[in-house]
Amino acid sequence: MVSYKDALEIIKNEIQKLTLHQEEVDLLDSINRILAEDVTADTDMPPFNNSAMDGYAVKFSERKKWNIIGEISAGNYSSITLTKSDAVLITTGSKIPASADTVIPIEDLDVEGKTVSLKPAAKYKKGINIREKGSDLHSGQIAVNQFTKIGPKVIAALASCGKERVKVYQKLKAAILSTGDELIPVIQKPSEDKIRSSNNYSLYAAIAEVDHSPINLGFVKDDKNIVRQKIKDAFEMDIEILITSGGVSVGKYDFLKELFKELGVKEKFWRVNIKPGKPLYFGVYENKKKKILVFGLPGNPVSSLVNFNVFIKPAIDYLYHQTPIIFLTAVLQEDLKKRDNKRHFSRGFIFKGSGEWSVTSKYSQSSGSLVEMSRANCLIVLEEEKLNPVKGERVKCFLI
Ligand code: AMP
Ligand code: MG
């Protein structure tokens, strides 16, 4: 059995050996993807001195009254030469004529026919309301760094750099296979001793949520020959990750570990000192052509999703240089039972209390209670050495 920290290190160490491939996509198809290149500005931003306000452009002096000699609106520049007594109506974003150096906002002015004058209470300074050429970024400088995740803010910067297409990292392809004699499809109603297979869905969604490509291999019975064939087939696929659920505990039909070994998977660890999710298996399948990380998750719906959240997601984030888990400190609203030296990930609901975050953990902590888990919004991390935390204690949580 390995510790949580060691297990995560082992996985990170293996995942970083995967080759990150690149592809080029249209800018609008790059949303939520990870940029695979540094993108530099091909022009100054903004490309010209422009007005930050709707107002009048003037050449600075102590004057309070000007003659209106023309107008410039955004995108309709005309090179007007101003003297100190001239003013040009200008709209936000318009290019400033070279002879003007100040924009007085419309709110500070009174316009009367062809003249404009400063309101009695208004003041202005030289150079106000001008956004200078290149003040955001100079041509040739990096606008967006490699490994930035593309969202609304970043895509705007990329568009402004003229990137109609961008290089992004390819998504990881993760196949998901459930095992268990008890499993039936969603469309069937459980009778006797069967349950609907939900892990395919939760793990599929988990991969999709981190913006990679899930492949659903469905579920198979606890029949060695069938499971072996399914895993063999998976190893023939173009995937980087295989996630199985079920069959990695110590029960009579928990033979996945054995099959992985038989099929050439190198075991990196089996069982982690955590709760839930202790039976986690991790190994690496490698042949001349490829490397596949193999995660054998326990079948309990809560355990498998916790495993995903505390191992697979952080490892993928690490591979793509993304922000690690962000922890919040919250005040525990009830006592929690913890009598062992495992690291616990308890289901909680975090909310804003009076100034501080609060977290309630009234949900069932059974690893089979998947509906209870669906109501939780965070995992509460109780470190190995922490025992029976009580109401009022501050605990570390992260959103799920
Ligand atoms: P196992 O890890 O194979 O011992 O499975 C533990 C328990 O997890 C089983 O008894 C089922 O109740 C549940 N389980 C296993 N596979 C699934 C699945 N695909 N979807 C939902 N629950 C599952
Ligand atoms: Mg099973």
Side-chain angles (χ1 to χ4, degrees), residues 226-286:
I226 299 174
V227 180
R228 182 189 293 112
Q229 194 53 50
K230 267 283 185 187
I231 296 173
K232 262 187 171 172
D233 293 346
F235 288 162
E236 290 301 311
M237 295 170 71
D238 176 22
I239 55 171
E240 289 86 18
I241 295 177
L242 171 65
I243 303 175
T244 63
S245 90
V248 285
S249 301
V250 289
K252 185 173 173 199
Y253 297 98
D254 292 335
F255 49 69
L256 258 89
K257 233 166 69 66
E258 195 186 310
L259 279 184
F260 288 142
K261 187 171 179 187
E262 189 191 312
L263 293 171
V265 181
K266 286 211 176 68
E267 181 181 317
K268 297 292 168 182
F269 65 76
W270 175 51
R271 295 200 288 196
V272 192
N273 191 30
I274 60 168
K275 190 178 175 184
K278 174 178 147 191
L280 176 67
Y281 167 98
F282 175 63
V284 178
Y285 174 80
E286 229 166 334

Side-chain angles (χ1 to χ4, degrees), residues 211-392:
D211 301 303
H212 291 279
S213 300
I215 300 153
N216 183 17
L217 301 182
F219 61 84
V220 283
K221 287 199 171 305
D222 290 319
D223 174 314
K224 252 190 198 170
N225 292 329
I226 299 174
V227 180
R228 182 189 293 112
Q229 194 53 50
K230 267 283 185 187
I231 296 173
K232 262 187 171 172
D233 293 346
F235 288 162
E236 290 301 311
M237 295 170 71
D238 176 22
I239 55 171
E240 289 86 18
I241 295 177
L242 171 65
I243 303 175
T244 63
S245 90
V248 285
S249 301
V250 289
K252 185 173 173 199
Y253 297 98
D254 292 335
F255 49 69
L256 258 89
K257 233 166 69 66
E258 195 186 310
L259 279 184
F260 288 142
K261 187 171 179 187
E262 189 191 312
L263 293 171
V265 181
K266 286 211 176 68
E267 181 181 317
K268 297 292 168 182
F269 65 76
W270 175 51
R271 295 200 288 196
V272 192
N273 191 30
I274 60 168
K275 190 178 175 184
K278 174 178 147 191
L280 176 67
Y281 167 98
F282 175 63
V284 178
Y285 174 80
E286 229 166 334
N287 64 26
K288 278 175 230 106
K289 286 178 283 176
K290 63 178 142 195
K291 182 181 176 90
I292 298 171
L293 305 187
V294 180
F295 293 91
L297 275 43
N300 275 312
V302 176
S303 312
S304 56
L305 254 197
V306 166
N307 276 167
F308 182 88
N309 276 291
V310 304
F311 291 113
I312 304 179
K313 183 177 184 297
I316 294 176
D317 284 342
Y318 174 76
L319 175 65
Y320 285 85
H321 299 218
Q322 297 303 292
T323 325
I325 294 176
I326 296 170
F327 293 101
L328 301 168
T329 302
V331 180
L332 199 56
Q333 300 298 297
E334 302 88 16
D335 294 354
L336 258 178
K337 279 203 191 76
K338 179 181 182 288
R339 298 190 201 93
D340 57 37
N341 68 350
K342 292 192 183 94
R343 178 174 290 235
H344 285 210
F345 298 100
S346 308
R347 272 69 68 212
F349 192 89
I350 191 167
F351 58 98
K352 202 77 183 163
S354 51
E356 273 189 279
W357 288 105
S358 294
V359 65
T360 170
S361 57
K362 61 180 184 209
Y363 303 104
S364 156
Q365 299 299 334
S366 155
S367 51
S369 304
L370 74 99
V371 176
E372 286 276 283
M373 177 178 60
S374 75
R375 300 196 169 114
N377 68 356
C378 74
L379 290 178
I380 305 167
V381 185
L382 304 174
E383 275 101 358
E384 290 75 356
E385 58 282 2
K386 183 167 271 308
L387 297 175
N388 296 323
V390 293
K391 181 178 173 175

Side-chain angles (χ1 to χ4, degrees), residues 177-186 188 190 193-200 218-222 245-247 299-301:
L177 173 68
S178 288
T179 65
D181 278 352
E182 70 277 37
L183 304 176
I184 53 164
V186 169
Q188 276 176 29
D193 59 346
K194 305 290 185 220
I195 57 160
R196 290 178 172 128
S197 176
S198 62
N199 290 350
N200 300 77
F219 61 84
V220 283
K221 287 199 171 305
D222 290 319
S245 90
N300 275 312

